[in-house]
């Protein structure tokens, strides 16, 4: 069974975003990619499975290119990754990065790849696009650190 303190609504939100209109997956294609039964995603979204197992969620997260942290279940990493780990993760992610679409979509893809490596919690974004900027924010990203250690 899944962790008794898991947030089924968060799980549903992640699955809706992954299988909604214009998304990379349909419910069945995500289930197939995760090597789960064809109705696995639909059963979770429609409330027929209110307590998915950690194994099912882990398989779905892997199919989405992440880990259980995307569902709020994995422990956060204590130590930051090494520069080599981050470099390797970006090398893996860049070939899958969308080549079409908005700059925002490409930036979102890369930020998600880096967030997975850093084991950061997923930010909840308002529907309809970009998160509102924080006070004093500009369109220019902050300078990259010279070392992650």
């Amino acid at each position: 069974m899944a962790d008794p303190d898991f947030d089924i609504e968060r799980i549903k939100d992640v699955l809706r975003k992954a299988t909604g209109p214009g998304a990379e997956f349909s419910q069945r294609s995500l289930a197939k990619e995760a090597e789960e039964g064809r109705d696995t995603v639909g059963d979770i979204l429609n409330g027929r499975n209110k307590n998915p197992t950690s194994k099912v969620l882990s398989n779905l997260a892997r199919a989405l290119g992440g880990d259980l942290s995307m569902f709020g279940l994995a422990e956060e990493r204590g130590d930051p990754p090494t520069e080599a780990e981050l470099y390797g993760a970006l090398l893996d992610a860049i070939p899958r990065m969308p080549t079409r679409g908005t700059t925002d979509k490409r930036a979102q893809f890369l930020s998600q790849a880096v967030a997975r490596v850093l084991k950061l919690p997923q930010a909840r974004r308002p529907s309809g696009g970009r998160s509102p900027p924080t006070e004093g924010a500009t369109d220019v990203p902050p300078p990259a650190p010279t070392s992650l250690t």
Side-chain angles (χ1 to χ4, degrees):
M1 286 197 161
D3 184 322
D5 295 326
F6 75 98
D7 181 355
I8 191 67
E9 291 307 315
R10 179 175 178 172
I11 293 167
K12 287 180 178 183
D13 285 344
V14 171
L15 295 176
R16 278 188 205 103
K17 288 175 186 172
T19 61
E24 179 181 355
F25 293 101
S26 68
Q27 291 178 12
R28 288 192 175 169
S29 69
L30 176 56
K32 182 177 180 179
E33 183 71 22
E35 299 178 355
E36 292 292 336
R38 71 182 198 154
D39 294 326
T40 298
V41 175
D43 286 348
I44 294 168
L45 288 174
N46 294 313
R48 290 186 295 270
N49 182 352
K50 296 177 184 174
N51 192 20
T53 65
S54 294
K55 179 184 178 291
V56 167
L57 295 176
S58 179
N59 289 343
L60 290 170
R62 178 191 39 78
L64 292 169
D67 60 30
L68 284 173
S69 65
M70 70 188 333
F71 296 121
L73 295 174
E75 292 182 30
E76 292 185 31
R77 182 179 181 149
D79 297 324
T82 65
E83 186 174 357
E85 287 176 308
L86 185 57
Y87 177 77
L90 289 173
L91 278 179
D92 289 343
I94 287 173
R96 295 188 313 268
M97 187 170 77
T99 56
R100 293 188 177 180
T102 65
T103 301
D104 185 53
K105 186 156 184 95
R106 292 189 301 264
Q108 180 183 13
F109 179 88
L110 285 175
S111 70
Q112 289 171 349
V114 170
R116 278 192 298 275
V117 172
L118 296 176
K119 306 280 188 208
L120 301 175
Q122 285 194 322
R124 293 185 184 241
R125 294 167 49 125
S127 61
R130 189 181 288 210
S131 296
T134 56
E135 181 138 349
T138 65
D139 288 339
V140 179
T146 56
S147 173
L148 293 174
T149 55

